[in-house]
Amino acid sequence: MSRSVRTRPEGSGRGLSEAYDTALLDLDGVVYAGGNAIAHAVESLASARSGGMHLAYVTNNALRTPDAVAEHLTELGIPTGADDVITSAQAVARLIAEQVPSGARVLVIGGEGLRVALRERGLEPVESAEDDPAAVVQGFGGPDLPWGRFAEACYAVARGVPWYASNTDLTIPGARGIAPGNGAAVEVVRIATGAEPQVAGKPLPPMHRETILRTGARRPLVVGDRLDTDIEGAFNGEVDSLLVLTGVTDAAQLLAAPPQHRPTFVDADLRGLLTGQPEVVEEEGDGNARFRCGGWTATAGAERLEVEGDGAALDGLRALCAAAWTAGGDAGCGLDSGKALARLGL
C-alpha cells in the first residue's frame, strides 16, 4: 500500500502534542547525540509535557539500564523516571523468557542493560559458552566490547544454542559522527556461524508490544530519526510517526523511501511536536504529481523532481515528499532529486 505524507493531524489544525496522548521518542539522534542534548530538544519536550503529552523514551540501544538513561536525561534538563524508558534489552528479555525455562542461564554479549533486563525476567546472565546457557543474547556493548565476546557467542551458537539480538541497527550516531551499531556486531556472529538470530528491537513487533505494555499509550506518536527502525516500526504497529532530521536520515533518503519507511509527519527537530503542521495540497497539473506546501510547489517530472517558489525550506521538502511518494507508489521514488534539494538548500 502506498503511503502519502500528511502534514496535520486528521480533523485538526492542532500541534502534534495536543493531538496525540503519548510521544514514543527515540533517543540517539532525536533527543541527544554523543551524550549532549540536540538543539531545541530540552525546551520542546518541556513544552509538550506541560501541555499534557506523556513522554516515553524508546531506544534500540541496549547498553544502559532504564535507570541510567533516566538519570542522563534528567541531567540534560529533561526530568525522567526509569518507568518512562523502554529499551530493546527489555523487549528481548521478555522474548527470551517466553521461550526458555524460568531461571535459565543466558550468555550475554553486551552491557549492563541486558543483564538487568534478564534478571527482571527471572533469567541468569552468564559470561561463557561453557556455562551451559539456554540462550545467547547480543546487544550493543559500547566501543570497548572485547573481540573475545563475539567468539563466546559463536561457540554457543555453532552448537545450536538459540541466538537472540536486541536489535540490528548497523550504525549509531555520536558526537563525532556515525559509528558501528549492534547490527554490525551481529553480522560478525552471523558470518562466522551462518545462523540467524531472533530480533526484538525496532522495527519488529516485540519492541512495539513492549512499548505499549509499559506506557499504556492509546494514541501514540512515534518520533525518530531512522527510516528503517523508528518509522518502519510505526508502520508495522499501524501508528503515526514524526521524522526529525537531526540524526541519520537526510532529505534525499526520505524522498526515495518505500512505503514502510514513509513518516506521517516531517520536521527539522523536536519543535515539530509543538507547531501546527502546514497543509500539503495536491494541485491540478499535466498528469504529473504536483503538490503545494507554503510558498513551494513540487512536481514529479519524467526524470526528476522539481520545486519552485520560496519560503521555508521544510515546506518545500514536504511538498517534494508528497510528489515523490505519489509518483513512486509502492516501489519508492527513483527520480533525481539533487537539483530540487539544492534549490531548497538541503
Side-chain angles (χ1 to χ4, degrees), residues 4-320:
S4 297
V5 66
R6 193 170 80 237
T7 52
R8 61 176 58 194
E10 288 183 348
S12 173
R14 298 175 293 168
L16 301 181
S17 62
E18 298 177 73
Y20 297 89
D21 70 336
T22 305
L24 305 178
L25 295 130
D26 184 49
L27 288 172
D28 294 303
V30 175
V31 179
Y32 55 63
N36 298 316
I38 287 173
H40 311 294
V42 174
E43 55 268 37
S44 297
L45 293 174
S47 295
R49 184 174 54 250
S50 66
M53 189 179 217
H54 177 212
L55 305 179
Y57 302 93
V58 186
T59 177
N60 262 0
N61 191 329
L63 177 60
R64 296 189 292 172
T65 66
D67 283 308
V69 173
E71 181 179 356
H72 179 206
L73 288 170
T74 301
E75 289 173 349
L76 292 177
I78 306 167
T80 306
D83 290 344
D84 296 321
V85 179
I86 301 95
T87 73
S88 63
Q90 294 171 321
V92 78
R94 187 186 296 269
L95 184 63
I96 295 169
E98 292 171 344
Q99 299 182 30
V100 303
S102 178
R105 296 177 175 181
V106 179
L107 173 58
V108 176
I109 313 300
E112 186 64 14
L114 276 176
R115 295 178 180 86
V116 169
L118 290 168
R119 294 189 189 103
E120 184 183 75
R121 292 289 159 204
L123 301 170
E124 180 185 351
V126 296
E127 301 300 313
S128 172
E130 303 309 310
D131 290 328
D132 193 26
V136 178
V137 63
Q138 193 170 356
F140 186 65
D144 299 322
L145 188 68
W147 188 256
R149 302 305 300 149
F150 301 134
E152 291 297 327
C154 291
Y155 300 148
V157 171
R159 64 175 186 246
V161 177
W163 177 31
Y164 300 81
S166 63
N167 67 297
T168 52
D169 299 34
L170 290 173
T171 60
I172 186 168
R176 296 174 57 193
I178 302 300
N182 191 54
V186 167
E187 284 300 308
V188 172
V189 179
R190 190 200 310 267
I191 291 168
T193 64
E196 293 287 336
Q198 292 188 54
V199 183
K202 296 180 283 187
L204 298 172
M207 188 65 171
H208 185 71
R209 176 182 61 158
E210 190 73 20
T211 300
I212 298 303
L213 285 173
R214 288 181 180 267
T215 65
R218 296 184 178 180
R219 183 162 170 72
L221 176 71
V222 170
V223 184
D225 69 308
R226 299 186 67 107
L227 301 179
D228 59 347
T229 55
D230 305 315
I231 305 308
E232 185 175 342
F235 180 88
N236 290 339
E238 299 183 337
V239 299
D240 288 348
S241 61
L242 165 66
L243 179 80
V244 291
L245 300 174
T246 49
V248 302
T249 300
D250 63 26
Q253 292 168 330
L254 177 61
L255 293 176
Q260 70 273 20
H261 290 174
R262 295 172 184 171
T264 317
F265 309 106
V266 180
D267 224 303
D269 51 53
L270 286 177
R271 289 176 294 180
L273 286 174
L274 310 174
T275 57
Q277 297 288 302
E279 188 174 12
V280 176
V281 179
E282 185 170 10
E283 296 192 331
E284 296 294 332
D286 53 3
N288 295 322
R290 184 178 176 86
F291 289 83
R292 174 175 51 81
C293 183
W296 295 97
T297 299
T299 305
E303 297 181 355
R304 66 179 61 87
L305 293 168
E306 299 175 352
V307 66
E308 56 186 14
D310 56 31
L314 198 57
D315 288 343
L317 179 60
R318 292 174 176 127
L320 280 171

